[in-house]
Amino acid sequence: MRSRFAIAFLSLLLSLSLVGCGEKKADDATATAPPPESASATDATLPASPGGTAEIPSVSSGTTVVVMLEDGRIALRGDAIPSGPAIFTVTNGGEQVHNLYIEGNGLNVAAGDSIPKGASRDVSVTLKAGTYTLYCPVLDHRERGEQTTITIKP
């Protein structure tokens, strides 16, 4: 009786070990995935969560403007913004729901629906020379300081 149990147990172990040693299929994602492209030296990054960094998307059709919405303020990252096409990459770094509204020089556009905590949105615009006001249109956020002004030079 004891030897039958031992044989059955060894057979079970052998079967389980063979299951884990099967061949990889050609359609296995890890077998066919191309190696990741290396980032060029000109790729920019900005601080994200305490766990790492986030890439700023490269845009061939215009300037990328990084906007951080926080509770009580709007922060822009970058140097002077030229006139022409631009993509505003808007991230909600606050605890509350926020949004971005860009107004001025004939432009009136929002970043879509409200942006939840930690989420990001891109807004494509064409900027002409002039002054623009960026603000959060949610509740009384604008009155609490979530507003800034930018001047675009020709």
Side-chain angles (χ1 to χ4, degrees), residues 36-55:
E37 293 182 25
S38 62
S40 71
T42 59
D43 286 348
T45 58
L46 81 135
S49 69
T53 60
E55 269 189 44

Side-chain angles (χ1 to χ4, degrees), residues 58-100:
S58 65
V59 180
S60 60
S61 64
T63 302
T64 298
V65 180
V66 177
V67 180
M68 180 65 70
L69 303 175
E70 298 173 344
D71 300 332
R73 75 183 199 117
I74 295 177
L76 294 170
R77 180 161 188 226
D79 297 327
I81 304 165
S83 60
I87 295 183
F88 284 73
T89 299
V90 184
T91 301
N92 182 353
E95 294 295 317
Q96 302 173 351
V97 171
H98 294 287
N99 201 338
L100 180 71

Side-chain angles (χ1 to χ4, degrees), residues 112-151:
D113 295 333
S114 293
I115 305 169
K117 173 184 174 182
S120 295
R121 296 247 167 68
D122 288 341
V123 181
S124 297
V125 296
T126 299
L127 301 171
K128 300 176 193 171
T131 301
Y132 296 84
T133 302
L134 284 63
Y135 63 91
C136 179
V138 176
L139 302 172
D140 64 343
H141 292 193
R142 185 176 187 181
E143 291 78 22
R144 293 186 317 169
E146 294 176 29
Q147 174 176 310
T148 191
T149 302
I150 59 173
T151 301

Side-chain angles (χ1 to χ4, degrees), residues 4 9-11 23 35 42 45 48 103 108 121 128 130 147 154:
R4 281 191 203 171
F9 181 73
L10 289 175
S11 296
E23 288 183 36
T42 59
T45 58
E103 182 179 278
N108 292 299
R121 296 247 167 68
K128 300 176 193 171
Q147 174 176 310

